[in-house]
Amino acid sequence: MRKNILLIVALFIAFGTSGCSYNSLTAQQQQVKGAWADVESQLQRRADLIPNIIKIAQTSAVQEQEVFGQIAEARSRLLNATQAAPAGEKTPEQRQAVIDAANSFGGTVGRLLSLQENYPQLRSNELFMRAQDELAGTENRIATKREDYNRTVREYNTARNQFPAVITASLFGFKEEPYFQAQPGTENAPTVPDPNSIRRNANQ
């Protein structure tokens, strides 16, 4: 009889603790989704600015078509990833796809901005420089929102993997969330190929 009572008490405590973990994980998961929505908002702003910068660069007689092609492809990949589902409804796997696409896009953006090093006329183009400043501001906003997102993910993942929340997470399908980490090598300044070499390769 006493064993049955102890078993019932243990089960009651376990379920009660599990319920608390469920509520806590749900709240933290919502914070992750909110932080992710802020990241996607800035990624969209970046994607919207790119066509204007490319147009300005092209009208300035820049012939770096390889860079433009890469940017168009990377932008399309990013938009497809972000539009796979609303920001608040993306799975961790879908968020990881956006992170990968955003990193790829960010690299090509750096190459576009480096065009002015190869083409002096861009440095004197007021519209290009203004658009570049807007994009630089967007990159700073993305970095800030990325840090906020990673902080909420760290708090959520830490809570999720602690006992007894890990049991609740397993029972109710609370998955670990991916961190928004930059690709290796992004700390290095991007370079733009010599346009003359590109033209020579194209003619071969």
Side-chain angles (χ1 to χ4, degrees):
M1 182 67 178
R2 185 173 181 178
K3 290 183 179 180
N4 291 335
I5 294 176
L6 291 176
L7 180 60
I8 293 173
V9 171
L11 289 174
F12 179 80
I13 294 174
F15 279 109
T17 306
S18 177
C20 293
S21 298
Y22 180 87
N23 293 337
S24 177
L25 288 176
T26 298
Q28 289 181 307
Q29 191 178 61
Q30 291 303 314
Q31 291 177 344
V32 170
K33 290 180 179 180
W36 178 255
D38 291 339
V39 170
E40 282 203 346
S41 176
Q42 295 305 321
L43 292 177
Q44 183 65 52
R45 187 174 189 274
R46 176 211 268 171
D48 292 341
L49 282 173
I50 287 298
N52 294 329
I53 295 182
I54 292 179
K55 183 176 180 180
I56 295 169
Q58 287 176 322
T59 57
S60 299
V62 176
Q63 301 300 319
E64 190 60 272
Q65 297 302 320
E66 181 187 40
V67 176
F68 296 144
Q70 291 174 348
I71 288 175
E73 180 181 353
R75 180 174 183 268
S76 176
R77 182 183 171 200
L78 175 61
L79 291 178
N80 288 337
T82 56
Q83 294 171 3
E89 299 177 11
K90 281 187 173 61
T91 64
E93 292 79 10
Q94 289 173 321
R95 275 194 274 277
Q96 183 62 58
V98 174
I99 290 171
D100 294 340
N103 283 333
S104 175
F105 191 24
T108 55
V109 167
R111 296 188 68 196
L112 172 63
L113 296 182
S114 293
L115 283 175
Q116 63 171 311
E117 300 300 325
N118 291 55
Y119 300 97
Q121 67 268 30
L122 283 180
R123 288 197 293 270
S124 62
N125 187 312
E126 182 180 352
L127 290 177
F128 181 87
M129 298 305 293
R130 188 183 306 166
Q132 183 187 28
D133 289 342
E134 285 289 332
L135 187 56
T138 298
E139 294 301 309
N140 290 333
R141 293 187 186 95
I142 290 174
T144 298
K145 296 302 181 183
R146 183 176 61 194
E147 290 176 0
D148 291 343
Y149 168 75
N150 282 344
R151 175 178 51 78
T152 58
V153 166
R154 181 176 64 253
E155 293 172 354
Y156 164 78
N157 284 345
T158 299
R160 178 200 175 277
N161 291 321
Q162 290 178 338
F163 183 85
V166 66
I167 298 177
T168 305
S170 178
L171 290 174
F172 294 98
F174 287 93
K175 298 181 179 179
E176 280 202 19
E177 292 286 350
Y179 288 100
F180 196 152
Q181 296 177 328
Q183 291 177 322
T186 53
E187 70 278 5
N188 300 322
T191 58
V192 177
D194 179 5
N196 293 321
S197 66
I198 293 178
R199 295 190 188 97
R200 286 195 297 270
N201 293 335
N203 293 329
Q204 289 179 354

